[in-house]
Amino acid sequence: MEAIILVGGLGTRLRPLTHTIPKPLLPLANVPMVERMVKKLPEIFDTAILAVNYGLNEMETYFYERDIGKRIIIVPEDEPLGTGGAMRNCFDYITGTTAVFNGDIVSSINLENMLKQHVKTGAKGTLALWEVDDPSRFGVVEFKNGQITQFQEKPEKGTELSNLINAGTYLLEPEILEMIPANKKISIEREIYPKVAGDGLYGFPFEGYFIDSGTPESYLAANFKSLGKNGTAAHNGASIRGNALIHESAKLKDCIIGPNAIIGANVEIEKCVIRESVILSNVNGYGSVVEGCIIGPEVSFEKDLRRTLISPKGTIAF
Ligand code: GTP
């Protein structure tokens, strides 16, 4: 079975960081988010199809140099085709029911249970649904007797059809992918799903967590969620506070790390306090308190920093 992972977006909300690293290759707890997603696929999905536009060269290099335990097919787009167009572009590689993921979602969804429901209901498509308090910034669905009967884009307060939003994870039969015109920029959410609403389009609400890691704040949150309790217990150059992860190649001296701090490969820091932050690879730092920041790769810091993103292509406060 195949899973398509949509990894072609520009990642504008994470600029200037995404000028250096395409969003799917940005690490979550020191592992690129797309690699995490591929590894998390249930065994029955033996092939991951990566739909790529922006960042094609980096993605090809990354996956051709590694074996991550699944067959990887990289399908390039000359122009960004949008979510639907990108899926259609992968059509020649699919053999039946296909899972599709937005590549920047970190969630607790149980794909095996979702697949069981998809088969049992005989759905043409099943969309993972996530409940939010305020759906006014999202695509909302009307959900009746297990089926999605209507879509609503960014509803005004008081007019919401429900509090359930599209969580960017789908199981689709080929007939849905066949509805998408080839070689055209198409949004599956806006142009295809509304046509199938009420006609075999099912919802799969789930609980736990759901993070779209596309903004600086949510990228940090996705890192801390991915870190979980699997951090570094002790380090000879640092005192560890709470959850923290220090790459084995990092060199630390007289530091306090955590809670929620991730230190990447080949980082060298001395006399620093790092909390609620992600330090990407090859960063040097000295004598600073760093809180709520994303720093790297390949930059240096020597002053206190708060809620700042520092990348080789520029610095922003968030
Ligand atoms: P922003 O520019 O910050 O909004 O990020 P983004 O470019 O990733 O867009 P968005 O978060 O809306 O995209 C959702 C998912 O679809 C992400 O996993 C993107 O990589 C993917 N995506 C969006 N547009 C395209 C596209 O034209 N082609 C492909 N292959 N993937 C896309």
Side-chain angles (χ1 to χ4, degrees):
M1 268 178 105
E2 294 82 23
I4 298 174
I5 307 183
L6 299 174
V7 282
L10 294 173
T12 50
R13 292 165 298 158
L14 274 169
R15 283 179 182 164
L17 185 56
T18 42
H19 287 311
T20 309
I21 308 176
K23 184 164 71 172
L25 290 179
L26 280 175
L28 294 175
N30 285 343
V31 178
M33 58 175 91
V34 60
E35 180 177 339
R36 268 185 187 277
M37 199 164 246
V38 172
K39 285 182 170 159
K40 225 178 122 182
L41 285 172
E43 209 168 330
I44 189 165
F45 293 93
D46 56 357
T47 303
I49 304 173
L50 310 183
V52 185
N53 172 246
Y54 179 71
L56 174 65
N57 290 343
E58 290 92 331
M59 206 81 72
E60 284 182 338
T61 307
Y62 190 83
F63 282 102
Y64 289 150
E65 282 175 355
R66 292 170 175 78
D67 176 4
I68 60 168
K70 302 251 183 216
R71 187 161 79 113
I72 304 281
I73 302 174
I74 293 180
V75 181
E77 295 154 45
D78 296 335
E79 295 288 323
L81 290 172
T83 49
M87 291 177 203
R88 185 69 170 87
N89 201 37
C90 299
F91 191 68
D92 288 349
Y93 301 96
I94 67 160
T95 55
T97 308
T98 303
V100 182
F101 301 89
N102 284 0
D104 50 3
I105 303 281
V106 175
S107 82
S108 55
I109 192 157
N110 184 322
L111 199 65
E112 274 154 341
N113 287 349
M114 185 172 168
L115 184 59
K116 274 186 205 149
Q117 180 192 301
H118 179 80
V119 172
K120 195 169 147 203
T121 56
K124 291 179 187 168
T126 304
L127 278 55
L129 302 176
W130 177 251
E131 190 171 336
V132 293
D133 291 336
D134 174 13
S136 60
R137 291 184 296 118
F138 301 96
V140 174
V141 303
E142 184 182 56
F143 186 52
K144 283 188 185 158
N145 304 323
Q147 287 222 40
I148 294 171
T149 44
Q150 241 191 101
F151 286 84
Q152 194 184 28
E153 227 5 81
K154 303 194 170 104
E156 267 181 43
K157 247 193 157 46
T159 69
E160 310 89 348
L161 293 172
S162 77
N163 277 22
L164 293 168
I165 64 163
N166 171 356
T169 300
Y170 319 122
L171 287 168
L172 303 177
E173 292 306 306
E175 66 180 287
I176 292 205
L177 298 174
E178 272 176 309
M179 290 172 68
I180 307 169
N183 303 314
K184 252 184 99 178
K185 185 164 184 176
I186 301 276
S187 157
I188 193 148
E189 301 89 330
R190 283 194 278 277
E191 295 170 74
I192 306 297
Y193 290 151
K195 290 186 187 155
V196 203
D199 183 24
L201 196 64
Y202 283 76
F204 181 77
F206 68 99
E207 288 178 354
Y209 58 88
F210 166 78
I211 304 169
D212 160 359
S213 52
T215 67
E217 289 92 342
S218 64
Y219 175 64
L220 285 175
N223 265 280
F224 306 149
K225 186 53 92 176
S226 304
L227 165 61
K229 305 253 177 278
N230 306 318
T232 306
H235 193 279
N236 58 15
S239 159
I240 310 271
R241 306 278 158 87
N243 285 349
L245 180 66
I246 301 171
H247 193 277
E248 60 189 23
S249 62
K251 293 194 176 77
L252 276 61
K253 199 173 165 201
D254 300 334
C255 291
I256 299 173
I257 305 294
N260 289 331
I262 294 161
I263 311 291
N266 304 311
V267 167
E268 293 192 18
I269 49 177
E270 187 176 342
K271 295 192 188 337
C272 288
V273 178
I274 314 277
R275 50 182 177 243
E276 307 292 335
S277 295
V278 171
I279 312 293
L280 299 166
S281 59
N282 300 297
V283 169
N284 287 291
Y286 183 85
S288 311
V289 178
V290 172
E291 195 171 17
C293 293
I294 303 165
I295 300 179
E298 288 162 28
V299 296
S300 299
F301 62 88
E302 282 199 11
K303 63 174 188 190
D304 293 351
L305 294 162
R306 213 172 165 267
R307 290 178 65 81
T308 304
L309 183 159
I310 303 181
S311 84
K313 301 282 169 137
T315 296
I316 57 161
F318 62 90

